[in-house]
Amino acid sequence: MRELYRILSGMLFASLALGLMFVPRPAMPQSGGAPGQTAQDNSIPAYHKELPDGPLPATMDPSQFDSPAVRNAYSVAAGMKKTLYQQPCYCHCDQHEGHGSLLDCFVGNHTAGCGVCMKEAFYVYEQLHKGKKAAQIREGIMRGEWNQVDLKKYETPMPPK
């Protein structure tokens, strides 16, 4: 009897596991994404290829944060909203926060607790100072180059513009 119970339990477990393979997954929002990206391909977070017709939202005031690195991130973000709007964010906040681009991370306080957003913002900042355009920066972000940003160098207050 015990052997029959084991066999039946194993069959039930296997059928449940097989059934989970057919459960639909949530699709990625179609407003952003990479060229040729489908709803089933959510490895590239949402972003915008073009700037909107209207104004972009304001970023949070950097003085609201205690950490110098966070203040610096919000400070540089305020000056490069157009470029951030065209970048994906690899913390995948498009899926768990509904963000449409890296800019959305700075409209609220999300970045204050997210090292990915901060690294990406400083990567954008550094690349803009090298003369790169939004599409070139996006390619670097998608290659993971933002991972090389050393946040320690942004832990001291940056000089005002």
Side-chain angles (χ1 to χ4, degrees):
M1 185 70 178
R2 187 172 239 179
E3 187 64 29
L4 179 61
Y5 177 74
R6 283 185 182 162
I7 292 171
L8 289 175
S9 296
M11 289 174 51
L12 178 63
F13 179 75
S15 62
L16 284 172
L18 184 62
L20 286 175
M21 289 176 49
F22 297 102
V23 174
R25 294 183 180 156
M28 184 175 161
Q30 289 297 305
S31 63
Q37 184 175 356
T38 66
Q40 297 303 315
D41 178 13
N42 62 3
S43 62
I44 300 173
Y47 67 90
H48 307 278
K49 289 187 233 178
E50 306 289 329
L51 290 172
D53 292 332
L56 292 169
T59 58
M60 285 189 74
D61 181 355
S63 67
Q64 295 180 2
F65 303 100
D66 293 331
S67 162
V70 173
R71 273 197 310 270
N72 289 337
Y74 277 87
S75 180
V76 299
M80 53 186 199
K81 295 189 309 183
K82 290 180 180 179
T83 306
L84 293 179
Y85 182 79
Q86 297 176 69
Q87 307 307 319
C89 181
Y90 276 88
C91 81
H92 292 280
C93 52
D94 60 329
Q95 295 177 15
H96 58 83
E97 299 282 334
H99 291 175
S101 70
L102 182 56
L103 176 60
D104 290 338
C105 303
F106 292 89
V107 172
N109 66 354
H110 174 81
T111 299
C114 185
V116 171
C117 300
M118 288 195 346
K119 281 186 171 189
E120 284 192 34
F122 290 128
Y123 175 79
V124 171
Y125 175 76
E126 291 171 2
Q127 297 306 304
L128 282 173
H129 281 84
K130 291 178 181 178
K132 301 261 179 100
K133 303 292 182 204
Q136 295 170 307
I137 295 169
R138 182 170 53 246
E139 290 170 8
I141 287 176
M142 289 177 177
R143 286 191 299 269
E145 293 174 6
W146 58 270
N147 279 302
Q148 304 306 312
V149 171
D150 181 9
L151 289 177
K152 288 181 182 173
K153 72 180 190 180
Y154 294 101
E155 289 178 354
T156 57
M158 294 173 73
K161 295 178 193 178

